Amino acid sequence: MLDDFFTRALLAGLGLSLVVGPLGSFVVWRRMAYFGDSTAHAAILGVALALAFDVSIYAGTLAVAVVMACTVSALVSRGQAMDTMLGVLSHSALAFGVVAISFVPGARSDLSGYLFGDILAVGRGDLLLIWTGALLVLGLLCLRWQRLVASSLNEELAMAAGIDPRVERMILALALAVVVALAIRVVGSLLISAMLIVPAAAARGLTRSPEWMAALAAAIAALSVTGGLYASLHVDTPAGPSIVSAAAVAFVLSQALRRG
Amino acid sequence: MSAFATASQPLIGAEGLTVNRPGTSEPVLRDVDFRIDPGEIVTVVGPNGSGKSSLIRALLGHMALAGGKVARRPSLRIGYVPQRVQIDTAIPMTVRRFLSLPRRVPDAAAAAALQRTGVPGLERRQLSQLSGGQFQRVLLARALLCEPHLLVLDEPTQGLDQPGIVAFYRLLEEVRRETGAAVLMVSHDLLVVMRSSDRVICLNGHVCCQGSPEDVSAAPEYRALFGTEGQDMLALYRHRHDHDHDQTGACLPGHGHDHGRDHHNHTPLRVQG
Protein backbone atom coordinates (compact mmCIF):
# COMPACT_ATOMS: atom_id res chain seq x y z
CA MET A 1 0.00 0.00 0.00
CA LEU A 2 2.84 2.38 0.91
CA ASP A 3 4.32 1.74 -2.51
CA ASP A 4 1.86 4.13 -4.04
CA PHE A 5 3.11 7.74 -3.99
CA PHE A 6 -0.44 9.03 -3.68
CA THR A 7 -1.18 6.91 -0.61
CA ARG A 8 2.04 8.09 1.01
CA ALA A 9 1.13 11.70 0.27
CA LEU A 10 -2.33 11.21 1.74
CA LEU A 11 -0.97 9.58 4.90
CA ALA A 12 1.64 12.31 5.34
CA GLY A 13 -1.05 14.98 5.03
CA LEU A 14 -3.36 13.19 7.47
CA GLY A 15 -0.54 12.83 10.01
CA LEU A 16 0.09 16.53 9.79
CA SER A 17 -3.64 17.33 10.09
CA LEU A 18 -3.76 15.55 13.41
CA VAL A 19 -1.43 18.11 14.96
CA VAL A 20 -2.17 21.30 13.02
CA GLY A 21 -5.75 21.27 14.32
CA PRO A 22 -4.94 21.61 18.03
CA LEU A 23 -1.76 23.64 17.55
CA GLY A 24 -3.45 25.93 15.02
CA SER A 25 -6.21 26.54 17.57
CA PHE A 26 -3.63 27.93 19.97
CA VAL A 27 -2.21 30.08 17.17
CA VAL A 28 -5.70 31.54 16.63
CA TRP A 29 -6.47 31.91 20.36
CA ARG A 30 -3.21 33.61 21.17
CA ARG A 31 -3.14 35.67 17.97
CA MET A 32 0.19 34.16 17.01
CA ALA A 33 -0.39 34.17 13.25
CA TYR A 34 2.65 36.30 12.54
CA PHE A 35 4.64 34.21 14.97
CA GLY A 36 3.80 31.12 12.89
CA ASP A 37 4.77 32.98 9.74
CA SER A 38 8.20 33.99 10.93
CA THR A 39 9.00 30.53 12.26
CA ALA A 40 7.83 28.94 9.01
CA HIS A 41 9.68 31.38 6.79
CA ALA A 42 12.85 30.82 8.77
CA ALA A 43 12.55 27.16 7.79
CA ILE A 44 13.74 28.08 4.28
CA LEU A 45 16.97 29.29 5.81
CA GLY A 46 17.16 25.90 7.53
CA VAL A 47 16.76 24.16 4.19
CA ALA A 48 19.65 26.17 2.76
CA LEU A 49 21.88 25.31 5.71
CA ALA A 50 20.90 21.64 5.56
CA LEU A 51 21.79 21.47 1.86
CA ALA A 52 25.05 23.34 2.36
CA PHE A 53 26.20 21.13 5.23
CA ASP A 54 24.66 18.01 3.76
CA VAL A 55 22.45 17.12 6.74
CA SER A 56 18.79 16.09 6.80
CA ILE A 57 16.34 18.78 5.70
CA TYR A 58 14.29 18.02 8.81
CA ALA A 59 17.26 18.59 11.11
CA GLY A 60 18.15 21.87 9.41
CA THR A 61 14.64 23.29 9.43
CA LEU A 62 14.02 22.13 12.99
CA ALA A 63 17.20 23.78 14.26
CA VAL A 64 16.52 27.11 12.56
CA ALA A 65 12.82 27.03 13.48
CA VAL A 66 13.69 26.41 17.14
CA VAL A 67 16.12 29.34 17.15
CA MET A 68 13.54 31.56 15.48
CA ALA A 69 10.74 30.46 17.81
CA CYS A 70 12.90 31.15 20.88
CA THR A 71 13.98 34.55 19.54
CA VAL A 72 10.43 35.56 18.81
CA SER A 73 9.03 34.38 22.14
CA ALA A 74 11.82 36.19 23.98
CA LEU A 75 10.82 39.35 22.11
CA VAL A 76 7.16 38.75 22.91
CA SER A 77 7.80 38.44 26.63
CA ARG A 78 9.84 41.63 26.59
CA GLY A 79 6.80 43.36 25.15
CA GLN A 80 8.42 44.78 22.01
CA ALA A 81 6.22 46.28 19.31
CA MET A 82 5.44 42.83 18.01
CA ASP A 83 3.64 43.48 14.79
CA THR A 84 6.47 45.35 13.14
CA MET A 85 9.21 43.23 14.66
CA LEU A 86 7.65 39.97 13.52
CA GLY A 87 7.06 41.40 10.05
CA VAL A 88 10.74 42.30 9.81
CA LEU A 89 11.89 38.92 11.10
CA SER A 90 9.47 36.91 9.01
CA HIS A 91 10.26 38.45 5.65
CA SER A 92 13.98 38.80 6.29
CA ALA A 93 14.20 35.12 7.16
CA LEU A 94 12.40 34.22 3.95
CA ALA A 95 14.58 36.50 1.80
CA PHE A 96 17.84 35.34 3.35
CA GLY A 97 16.70 31.74 3.00
CA VAL A 98 15.95 32.04 -0.71
CA VAL A 99 19.21 33.91 -1.31
CA ALA A 100 21.13 31.26 0.62
CA ILE A 101 19.53 28.43 -1.38
CA SER A 102 20.63 30.08 -4.63
CA PHE A 103 24.25 29.54 -3.53
CA VAL A 104 23.76 25.79 -3.11
CA PRO A 105 24.60 24.06 -6.38
CA GLY A 106 21.63 22.29 -7.93
CA ALA A 107 19.16 23.37 -5.25
CA ARG A 108 17.79 26.33 -7.14
CA SER A 109 15.57 24.16 -9.27
CA ASP A 110 14.01 22.61 -6.16
CA LEU A 111 13.18 25.98 -4.68
CA SER A 112 9.46 25.85 -5.38
CA GLY A 113 9.33 22.46 -3.65
CA TYR A 114 10.59 24.06 -0.45
CA LEU A 115 8.37 27.10 -0.77
CA PHE A 116 5.13 25.31 -1.68
CA GLY A 117 5.78 21.73 -0.61
CA ASP A 118 6.36 18.55 -2.55
CA ILE A 119 3.99 16.17 -0.86
CA LEU A 120 3.88 13.75 -3.80
CA ALA A 121 7.59 13.05 -3.28
CA VAL A 122 7.12 11.94 0.34
CA GLY A 123 8.95 8.66 1.02
CA ARG A 124 8.57 6.01 3.71
CA GLY A 125 11.19 7.67 5.89
CA ASP A 126 9.37 11.01 5.67
CA LEU A 127 6.14 9.29 6.56
CA LEU A 128 7.66 7.72 9.66
CA LEU A 129 9.12 11.05 10.78
CA ILE A 130 5.92 12.99 10.17
CA TRP A 131 3.76 10.54 12.11
CA THR A 132 6.21 10.17 14.98
CA GLY A 133 6.66 13.92 15.28
CA ALA A 134 2.93 14.62 14.99
CA LEU A 135 2.05 12.06 17.66
CA LEU A 136 4.75 13.36 20.00
CA VAL A 137 3.58 16.97 19.70
CA LEU A 138 -0.04 15.91 20.04
CA GLY A 139 0.83 13.92 23.17
CA LEU A 140 2.61 16.93 24.63
CA LEU A 141 -0.37 19.19 23.95
CA CYS A 142 -2.79 16.69 25.52
CA LEU A 143 -0.60 16.27 28.57
CA ARG A 144 -0.50 20.01 29.26
CA TRP A 145 -3.90 20.84 27.81
CA GLN A 146 -5.51 22.42 30.89
CA ARG A 147 -2.44 24.56 31.57
CA LEU A 148 -2.09 25.64 27.97
CA VAL A 149 -5.75 26.59 27.62
CA ALA A 150 -5.77 28.41 30.97
CA SER A 151 -2.73 30.52 30.13
CA SER A 152 -4.07 31.26 26.65
CA LEU A 153 -7.31 32.52 28.18
CA ASN A 154 -5.67 34.80 30.73
CA GLU A 155 -2.09 34.66 31.99
CA GLU A 156 -2.87 36.25 35.34
CA LEU A 157 -5.57 33.67 36.07
CA ALA A 158 -3.15 30.93 35.14
CA MET A 159 -0.46 32.37 37.42
CA ALA A 160 -2.93 32.57 40.29
CA ALA A 161 -3.40 28.82 39.84
CA GLY A 162 0.33 28.20 40.04
CA ILE A 163 0.96 27.93 36.30
CA ASP A 164 4.01 29.68 34.80
CA PRO A 165 2.75 31.14 31.50
CA ARG A 166 6.33 31.53 30.24
CA VAL A 167 6.77 27.77 30.33
CA GLU A 168 3.53 27.24 28.41
CA ARG A 169 4.54 29.88 25.88
CA MET A 170 7.86 28.16 25.33
CA ILE A 171 6.19 24.77 24.92
CA LEU A 172 3.92 26.16 22.22
CA ALA A 173 6.88 27.83 20.50
CA LEU A 174 8.81 24.56 20.43
CA ALA A 175 5.78 22.59 19.28
CA LEU A 176 5.39 25.11 16.49
CA ALA A 177 9.02 24.69 15.45
CA VAL A 178 8.63 20.90 15.30
CA VAL A 179 5.43 21.15 13.24
CA VAL A 180 7.07 23.61 10.85
CA ALA A 181 9.91 21.17 10.28
CA LEU A 182 7.43 18.31 9.69
CA ALA A 183 5.28 20.35 7.33
CA ILE A 184 7.94 21.70 5.03
CA ARG A 185 7.68 18.77 2.62
CA VAL A 186 3.91 18.68 2.75
CA VAL A 187 2.85 22.29 2.16
CA GLY A 188 6.16 24.16 2.08
CA SER A 189 7.46 27.11 4.03
CA LEU A 190 5.03 29.67 2.63
CA LEU A 191 1.85 27.73 3.36
CA ILE A 192 2.57 26.15 6.75
CA SER A 193 0.95 28.92 8.70
CA ALA A 194 -2.08 28.69 6.40
CA MET A 195 -2.47 25.05 7.48
CA LEU A 196 -2.32 26.17 11.09
CA ILE A 197 -4.70 29.09 10.86
CA VAL A 198 -7.30 28.32 8.19
CA PRO A 199 -8.74 25.05 9.59
CA ALA A 200 -8.74 26.43 13.13
CA ALA A 201 -10.47 29.61 11.99
CA ALA A 202 -13.08 27.52 10.18
CA ALA A 203 -13.69 25.45 13.32
CA ARG A 204 -13.85 28.54 15.55
CA GLY A 205 -17.35 29.60 14.54
CA LEU A 206 -18.85 26.13 14.71
CA THR A 207 -17.81 24.98 18.17
CA ARG A 208 -18.57 25.79 21.78
CA SER A 209 -15.51 24.53 23.63
CA PRO A 210 -11.74 24.59 23.11
CA GLU A 211 -11.60 20.80 22.83
CA TRP A 212 -14.21 20.63 20.08
CA MET A 213 -12.57 23.44 18.21
CA ALA A 214 -9.22 21.62 18.24
CA ALA A 215 -10.82 18.35 17.14
CA LEU A 216 -12.92 19.94 14.40
CA ALA A 217 -9.89 21.90 13.15
CA ALA A 218 -8.00 18.62 12.81
CA ALA A 219 -10.94 17.10 10.93
CA ILE A 220 -11.19 20.08 8.59
CA ALA A 221 -7.43 19.92 7.96
CA ALA A 222 -7.77 16.20 7.13
CA LEU A 223 -10.65 16.88 4.74
CA SER A 224 -8.66 19.67 3.09
CA VAL A 225 -5.66 17.38 2.62
CA THR A 226 -7.85 14.71 1.08
CA GLY A 227 -9.79 17.12 -1.12
CA GLY A 228 -6.69 19.03 -2.19
CA LEU A 229 -4.77 15.90 -3.08
CA TYR A 230 -7.60 14.44 -5.15
CA ALA A 231 -8.01 17.76 -6.94
CA SER A 232 -4.30 17.80 -7.56
CA LEU A 233 -4.44 14.27 -9.00
CA HIS A 234 -7.41 14.81 -11.28
CA VAL A 235 -6.99 18.43 -12.37
CA ASP A 236 -3.20 18.37 -12.19
CA THR A 237 -2.83 21.33 -9.83
CA PRO A 238 0.10 21.81 -7.42
CA ALA A 239 -0.61 19.73 -4.31
CA GLY A 240 0.35 22.05 -1.43
CA PRO A 241 -1.57 25.09 -2.70
CA SER A 242 -4.54 22.84 -3.59
CA ILE A 243 -4.70 21.63 0.02
CA VAL A 244 -4.69 25.18 1.35
CA SER A 245 -7.30 26.19 -1.23
CA ALA A 246 -9.53 23.35 -0.01
CA ALA A 247 -9.09 24.60 3.55
CA ALA A 248 -10.05 28.10 2.44
CA VAL A 249 -13.22 26.74 0.86
CA ALA A 250 -13.99 24.97 4.14
CA PHE A 251 -13.51 28.28 5.93
CA VAL A 252 -16.00 30.05 3.64
CA LEU A 253 -18.51 27.22 4.10
CA SER A 254 -18.09 27.40 7.88
CA GLN A 255 -18.85 31.10 7.81
CA ALA A 256 -22.02 30.41 5.84
CA LEU A 257 -23.05 27.65 8.26
CA ARG A 258 -22.44 29.92 11.21
CA ARG A 259 -24.76 32.59 9.85
CA GLY A 260 -27.42 30.08 8.82
CA MET B 1 -11.10 28.06 58.35
CA SER B 2 -12.08 29.48 61.75
CA ALA B 3 -8.59 28.79 63.12
CA PHE B 4 -7.31 30.57 60.10
CA ALA B 5 -9.50 33.56 60.77
CA THR B 6 -8.58 34.00 64.42
CA ALA B 7 -4.80 33.91 64.12
CA SER B 8 -3.26 37.36 64.50
CA GLN B 9 -0.82 37.01 61.62
CA PRO B 10 -1.98 38.88 58.50
CA LEU B 11 -3.08 36.87 55.45
CA ILE B 12 -0.51 38.75 53.40
CA GLY B 13 2.02 41.17 54.79
CA ALA B 14 4.64 43.18 52.95
CA GLU B 15 7.47 45.41 54.11
CA GLY B 16 9.46 47.90 52.08
CA LEU B 17 7.99 46.52 48.87
CA THR B 18 9.68 47.94 45.78
CA VAL B 19 8.71 46.86 42.27
CA ASN B 20 10.26 48.00 38.99
CA ARG B 21 8.49 48.54 35.72
CA PRO B 22 9.08 45.27 33.79
CA GLY B 23 12.40 45.29 31.97
CA THR B 24 13.60 48.54 33.55
CA SER B 25 15.12 49.70 36.81
CA GLU B 26 12.51 52.41 37.13
CA PRO B 27 10.37 51.78 40.22
CA VAL B 28 6.58 51.68 39.89
CA LEU B 29 6.25 51.16 43.63
CA ARG B 30 8.65 52.35 46.29
CA ASP B 31 8.90 51.15 49.86
CA VAL B 32 5.32 50.03 50.37
CA ASP B 33 4.21 48.44 53.63
CA PHE B 34 1.03 46.44 53.46
CA ARG B 35 -1.06 44.01 55.43
CA ILE B 36 -4.49 42.48 55.11
CA ASP B 37 -6.14 40.62 57.96
CA PRO B 38 -8.77 37.89 57.87
CA GLY B 39 -12.25 39.14 56.98
CA GLU B 40 -11.10 42.66 56.05
CA ILE B 41 -12.17 44.52 52.91
CA VAL B 42 -9.24 46.60 51.71
CA THR B 43 -9.42 48.75 48.59
CA VAL B 44 -6.51 50.24 46.70
CA VAL B 45 -7.27 53.50 44.89
CA GLY B 46 -4.97 55.71 42.87
CA PRO B 47 -4.56 57.36 39.48
CA ASN B 48 -3.64 55.40 36.36
CA GLY B 49 -0.05 54.20 36.47
CA SER B 50 0.14 54.59 40.23
CA GLY B 51 1.17 50.96 40.65
CA LYS B 52 -2.15 49.50 41.83
CA SER B 53 -2.01 46.43 39.63
CA SER B 54 1.72 46.04 40.29
CA LEU B 55 1.01 45.97 44.02
CA ILE B 56 -1.57 43.22 43.52
CA ARG B 57 0.78 41.23 41.29
CA ALA B 58 3.68 41.57 43.69
CA LEU B 59 1.52 40.48 46.63
CA LEU B 60 0.32 37.46 44.67
CA GLY B 61 3.90 36.60 43.72
CA HIS B 62 3.33 37.17 40.00
CA MET B 63 6.00 39.81 39.77
CA ALA B 64 9.63 39.88 40.84
CA LEU B 65 10.45 42.24 43.72
CA ALA B 66 13.21 44.81 43.39
CA GLY B 67 13.25 45.21 47.16
CA GLY B 68 11.45 44.38 50.38
CA LYS B 69 9.63 41.19 51.21
CA VAL B 70 6.18 39.67 50.98
CA ALA B 71 4.94 37.04 53.43
CA ARG B 72 1.85 35.03 52.62
CA ARG B 73 0.42 32.70 55.21
CA PRO B 74 1.24 29.08 54.53
CA SER B 75 -1.55 27.26 52.67
CA LEU B 76 -3.34 30.56 52.03
CA ARG B 77 -6.08 30.00 49.42
CA ILE B 78 -6.57 32.99 47.14
CA GLY B 79 -9.49 33.48 44.76
CA TYR B 80 -8.41 35.80 41.98
CA VAL B 81 -10.63 37.91 39.71
CA PRO B 82 -8.59 39.50 36.90
CA GLN B 83 -9.60 42.52 34.87
CA ARG B 84 -12.43 41.43 32.66
CA VAL B 85 -11.05 43.12 29.56
CA GLN B 86 -8.07 40.80 29.55
CA ILE B 87 -10.05 37.60 29.16
CA ASP B 88 -9.55 36.43 25.62
CA THR B 89 -12.86 35.67 23.95
CA ALA B 90 -11.22 34.22 20.83
CA ILE B 91 -11.48 30.89 22.65
CA PRO B 92 -14.90 29.26 22.42
CA MET B 93 -15.73 28.48 26.01
CA THR B 94 -18.87 27.79 27.99
CA VAL B 95 -19.26 29.09 31.52
CA ARG B 96 -19.18 25.50 32.77
CA ARG B 97 -15.89 24.77 31.00
CA PHE B 98 -14.42 28.02 32.30
CA LEU B 99 -15.20 27.07 35.89
CA SER B 100 -13.15 23.90 35.38
CA LEU B 101 -10.03 25.78 34.29
CA PRO B 102 -7.38 24.88 35.21
CA ARG B 103 -8.70 22.60 37.96
CA ARG B 104 -11.70 20.47 37.11
CA VAL B 105 -14.63 20.82 39.52
CA PRO B 106 -17.77 18.69 39.89
CA ASP B 107 -21.04 19.92 38.33
CA ALA B 108 -22.64 20.42 41.74
CA ALA B 109 -19.86 22.73 42.93
CA ALA B 110 -20.04 24.74 39.71
CA ALA B 111 -23.81 25.11 40.01
CA ALA B 112 -23.55 26.14 43.67
CA ALA B 113 -20.92 28.80 42.91
CA LEU B 114 -23.05 30.30 40.13
CA GLN B 115 -26.05 30.24 42.46
CA ARG B 116 -24.14 32.05 45.17
CA THR B 117 -23.05 34.86 42.85
CA GLY B 118 -26.56 35.34 41.51
CA VAL B 119 -26.18 33.86 38.04
CA PRO B 120 -27.66 30.34 38.38
CA GLY B 121 -28.14 28.20 35.29
CA LEU B 122 -25.64 29.99 33.07
CA GLU B 123 -23.49 26.86 32.61
CA ARG B 124 -24.10 26.36 28.90
CA ARG B 125 -23.74 30.01 27.90
CA GLN B 126 -20.65 31.12 25.94
CA LEU B 127 -18.34 33.54 27.78
CA SER B 128 -18.49 35.89 24.80
CA GLN B 129 -22.28 36.13 25.12
CA LEU B 130 -22.36 37.24 28.75
CA SER B 131 -23.24 40.80 29.73
CA GLY B 132 -20.62 42.74 31.69
CA GLY B 133 -22.39 42.12 34.98
CA GLN B 134 -22.87 38.42 34.32
CA PHE B 135 -19.23 38.04 33.32
CA GLN B 136 -18.08 39.63 36.60
CA ARG B 137 -20.29 37.28 38.56
CA VAL B 138 -18.99 34.28 36.68
CA LEU B 139 -15.41 35.40 37.38
CA LEU B 140 -16.31 35.76 41.05
CA ALA B 141 -17.99 32.33 41.07
CA ARG B 142 -14.83 30.82 39.64
CA ALA B 143 -12.72 32.54 42.30
CA LEU B 144 -15.00 31.16 45.05
CA LEU B 145 -14.59 27.55 43.90
CA CYS B 146 -11.36 27.07 45.86
CA GLU B 147 -13.07 28.31 49.07
CA PRO B 148 -10.59 31.16 49.36
CA HIS B 149 -9.40 32.85 52.55
CA LEU B 150 -8.75 35.92 50.44
CA LEU B 151 -10.45 37.27 47.33
CA VAL B 152 -8.30 39.50 45.15
CA LEU B 153 -10.08 41.59 42.51
CA ASP B 154 -8.42 43.88 39.97
CA GLU B 155 -10.85 46.60 38.89
CA PRO B 156 -13.78 44.22 39.10
CA THR B 157 -16.43 46.69 37.99
CA GLN B 158 -14.78 48.08 34.89
CA GLY B 159 -17.40 48.52 32.19
CA LEU B 160 -20.40 48.15 34.50
CA ASP B 161 -23.05 50.86 34.82
CA GLN B 162 -23.75 52.50 38.17
CA PRO B 163 -26.52 50.11 39.34
CA GLY B 164 -24.35 47.19 38.22
CA ILE B 165 -21.43 48.52 40.25
CA VAL B 166 -23.53 48.97 43.37
CA ALA B 167 -25.04 45.49 42.97
CA PHE B 168 -21.61 43.93 42.51
CA TYR B 169 -20.17 45.48 45.67
CA ARG B 170 -23.25 44.42 47.61
CA LEU B 171 -22.66 40.89 46.39
CA LEU B 172 -19.04 41.10 47.57
CA GLU B 173 -20.16 42.15 51.04
CA GLU B 174 -22.59 39.24 51.09
CA VAL B 175 -19.88 36.81 50.11
CA ARG B 176 -17.61 38.18 52.78
CA ARG B 177 -20.36 37.77 55.36
CA GLU B 178 -21.14 34.20 54.30
CA THR B 179 -17.61 32.90 53.82
CA GLY B 180 -15.54 35.15 56.06
CA ALA B 181 -13.12 35.68 53.20
CA ALA B 182 -11.05 38.86 53.23
CA VAL B 183 -11.28 41.02 50.11
CA LEU B 184 -8.48 42.98 48.48
CA MET B 185 -9.40 45.00 45.41
CA VAL B 186 -8.29 47.72 43.08
CA SER B 187 -11.04 50.10 42.17
CA HIS B 188 -11.87 53.32 40.38
CA ASP B 189 -15.34 53.57 41.85
CA LEU B 190 -14.52 56.02 44.61
CA LEU B 191 -18.08 56.41 45.80
CA VAL B 192 -18.72 52.72 46.28
CA VAL B 193 -15.26 52.12 47.67
CA MET B 194 -16.00 54.59 50.39
CA ARG B 195 -19.19 52.77 51.17
CA SER B 196 -18.05 49.19 51.33
CA SER B 197 -14.39 49.13 52.41
CA ASP B 198 -13.01 48.70 55.90
CA ARG B 199 -9.74 50.26 54.88
CA VAL B 200 -8.64 52.29 51.86
CA ILE B 201 -5.08 52.57 50.60
CA CYS B 202 -4.38 55.55 48.42
CA LEU B 203 -1.47 54.74 46.15
CA ASN B 204 0.69 56.86 43.88
CA GLY B 205 4.01 55.07 43.51
CA HIS B 206 4.05 54.91 47.30
CA VAL B 207 1.34 54.82 49.95
CA CYS B 208 0.02 58.40 50.08
CA CYS B 209 -2.35 57.71 52.89
CA GLN B 210 -4.41 54.88 54.27
CA GLY B 211 -7.02 54.26 56.87
CA SER B 212 -10.79 54.19 57.20
CA PRO B 213 -12.67 55.56 54.19
CA GLU B 214 -13.53 58.68 56.20
CA ASP B 215 -9.96 59.42 57.20
CA VAL B 216 -8.63 58.84 53.72
CA SER B 217 -11.19 60.99 51.98
CA ALA B 218 -10.39 63.82 54.39
CA ALA B 219 -6.63 63.52 53.89
CA PRO B 220 -4.99 66.31 51.87
CA GLU B 221 -2.92 63.71 49.93
CA TYR B 222 -6.11 62.05 48.73
CA ARG B 223 -7.62 65.39 47.76
CA ALA B 224 -4.47 66.37 45.91
CA LEU B 225 -4.68 63.16 43.88
CA PHE B 226 -8.35 63.05 43.12
CA GLY B 227 -9.07 66.75 43.02
CA THR B 228 -12.65 67.74 42.48
CA GLU B 229 -13.76 64.23 41.68
CA GLY B 230 -12.56 63.09 45.07
CA GLN B 231 -14.32 65.97 46.70
CA ASP B 232 -17.53 65.28 44.86
CA MET B 233 -17.32 61.70 46.03
CA LEU B 234 -16.67 62.91 49.51
CA ALA B 235 -19.67 65.18 49.29
CA LEU B 236 -21.89 62.36 48.09
CA TYR B 237 -20.50 60.07 50.69
CA ARG B 238 -21.26 62.36 53.55
CA HIS B 239 -24.23 64.34 52.38
CA ARG B 240 -26.41 62.14 50.27
CA HIS B 241 -29.33 62.59 52.63
CA ASP B 242 -28.47 66.04 53.86
CA HIS B 243 -30.81 68.57 52.32
CA ASP B 244 -28.74 71.52 53.36
CA HIS B 245 -26.15 70.66 50.75
CA ASP B 246 -26.09 70.39 47.02
CA GLN B 247 -25.58 66.78 45.88
CA THR B 248 -22.77 67.74 43.56
CA GLY B 249 -20.83 69.00 46.52
CA ALA B 250 -20.70 72.45 45.00
CA CYS B 251 -21.18 74.16 48.31
CA LEU B 252 -18.24 72.39 49.89
CA PRO B 253 -15.22 74.63 50.18
CA GLY B 254 -12.74 74.19 47.37
CA HIS B 255 -9.62 73.74 49.48
CA GLY B 256 -10.79 71.31 52.02
CA HIS B 257 -9.29 72.94 55.12
CA ASP B 258 -12.52 73.21 56.98
CA HIS B 259 -13.96 69.81 56.22
CA GLY B 260 -13.52 68.82 59.86
CA ARG B 261 -16.73 70.67 60.64
CA ASP B 262 -18.84 67.89 59.16
CA HIS B 263 -16.99 65.08 60.79
CA HIS B 264 -18.89 65.02 64.02
CA ASN B 265 -22.37 65.14 62.64
CA HIS B 266 -22.40 62.41 60.08
CA THR B 267 -21.73 58.75 60.16
CA PRO B 268 -20.67 56.98 56.99
CA LEU B 269 -23.58 56.36 54.74
CA ARG B 270 -24.69 52.85 54.01
CA VAL B 271 -27.22 52.63 51.28
CA GLN B 272 -29.87 49.98 51.80
CA GLY B 273 -31.91 48.09 49.23
Side-chain angles (χ1 to χ4, degrees), chain A residues 23 26 30 32 35 39 65-78 137 140-141 144 147-148 151-152 155 163-179:
Chain A
L23 191 61
F26 283 107
R30 301 172 77 106
M32 287 161 63
F35 187 115
T39 309
V66 165
V67 170
M68 191 63 158
C70 292
T71 310
V72 172
S73 53
L75 288 174
V76 172
S77 39
R78 268 202 264 142
V137 171
L140 181 69
L141 293 182
R144 303 191 70 89
R147 292 164 166 268
L148 287 168
S151 56
S152 301
E155 296 206 335
I163 297 167
D164 185 347
R166 286 170 305 179
V167 172
E168 310 308 318
R169 231 178 357 232
M170 197 46 85
I171 284 172
L172 284 178
L174 291 178
L176 197 66
V178 172
V179 169

Side-chain angles (χ1 to χ4, degrees), chain B residues 96 99-100 104-117 119-121 123 141 144-145 147:
Chain B
R96 177 66 189 86
L99 294 178
S100 269
R104 300 197 183 270
V105 295
D107 283 343
L114 291 175
Q115 177 85 43
R116 167 175 265 164
T117 56
V119 280
E123 281 96 335
L144 290 174
L145 282 170
E147 297 179 356

